[in-house]
Amino acid sequence: MNKKQIGNNFFIPMPVVLVGTQVSGNANFMTVGWVARANANPPMIVCGIGNHHYTPKGIEENGTFSVNIPSTDLIVKTDYCGIVSGSKTDKSKVFDIFYGNLNTAPLIKECPVSIECKLVQITPLPTNSLYLGEIVGVWVDGEIMADGKPDINSIDPIFLSMPDNRYWNLGEHIGDAWSDGKNLKLND
């Protein structure tokens, strides 16, 4: 294989989520493509959010936020929440909202998975900040469960590729983690 060096501005495909918080008492949602699980126990998640956005004000104000996983049928509403600012547009009416254990982390009924987070730490970076949250509640639709676990195909998550700024859906199952590599034998 011939390798070719390209510019440094490359991104791995990322899940797309809707981060929810209350800003001045009003529910607000923002589309975020930079999100990942960050710790096993206690379970934590990290979101990279641009320093110029409105949503961080609510996260810092309340010390809570939600991470909602939209399915592909919510692509238009999800993209909308990423192109309009909550400072100018009331996004509290875009979705049906509910609250779980935290009263300041709005959750989205239409999303198959909604995660409540308590803010643990903010790490400022030059253009973004990392918001690390401890997962304190996970809410799922019963229809996405298979064998007592959330089924990724039923969740039907959205993925983002950059720098082409395109949305994608999930592909097919190709292997099993912590299993498929057990049979590889290398000569030492």
Side-chain angles (χ1 to χ4, degrees), residues 67-177:
V67 176
N68 302 272
I69 303 174
S71 54
T72 59
D73 64 329
L74 293 173
I75 191 77
V76 172
K77 288 182 176 184
T78 299
D79 193 55
Y80 174 81
C81 287
I83 58 178
V84 299
S85 173
S87 66
K88 297 179 179 132
T89 303
D90 179 3
K91 294 188 265 184
S92 66
K93 305 287 188 251
V94 175
F95 302 102
D96 289 329
I97 300 169
F98 74 101
Y99 290 87
N101 301 314
L102 303 173
N103 294 325
T104 52
L107 303 160
I108 300 173
K109 286 183 183 179
E110 294 98 316
C111 289
V113 179
S114 294
I115 304 166
E116 297 177 276
C117 299
K118 179 175 62 175
L119 181 64
V120 172
Q121 179 179 323
I122 302 170
T123 303
L125 300 172
T127 59
N128 292 57
S129 290
L130 302 179
Y131 292 84
L132 180 65
E134 180 180 345
I135 298 170
V136 298
V138 179
W139 303 84
V140 300
D141 291 343
E143 300 82 40
I144 67 153
M145 300 296 285
D147 298 322
K149 298 175 187 166
D151 175 63
I152 192 74
N153 282 320
S154 296
I155 295 170
D156 191 22
I158 303 167
F159 294 90
L160 171 67
S161 61
M162 293 178 80
D164 61 354
N165 298 328
R166 297 176 82 190
Y167 294 122
W168 302 86
N169 63 351
L170 186 65
E172 63 187 63
H173 171 239
I174 60 165
D176 295 313

Side-chain angles (χ1 to χ4, degrees), residues 30-32 34 46-60 85 87 121-132:
M30 174 188 176
T31 306
V32 174
W34 299 357
V46 64
C47 299
I49 300 176
N51 294 330
H52 63 284
H53 285 289
Y54 182 70
T55 297
K57 179 179 176 185
I59 296 173
E60 294 169 21
S85 173
S87 66
Q121 179 179 323
I122 302 170
T123 303
L125 300 172
T127 59
N128 292 57
S129 290
L130 302 179
Y131 292 84
L132 180 65

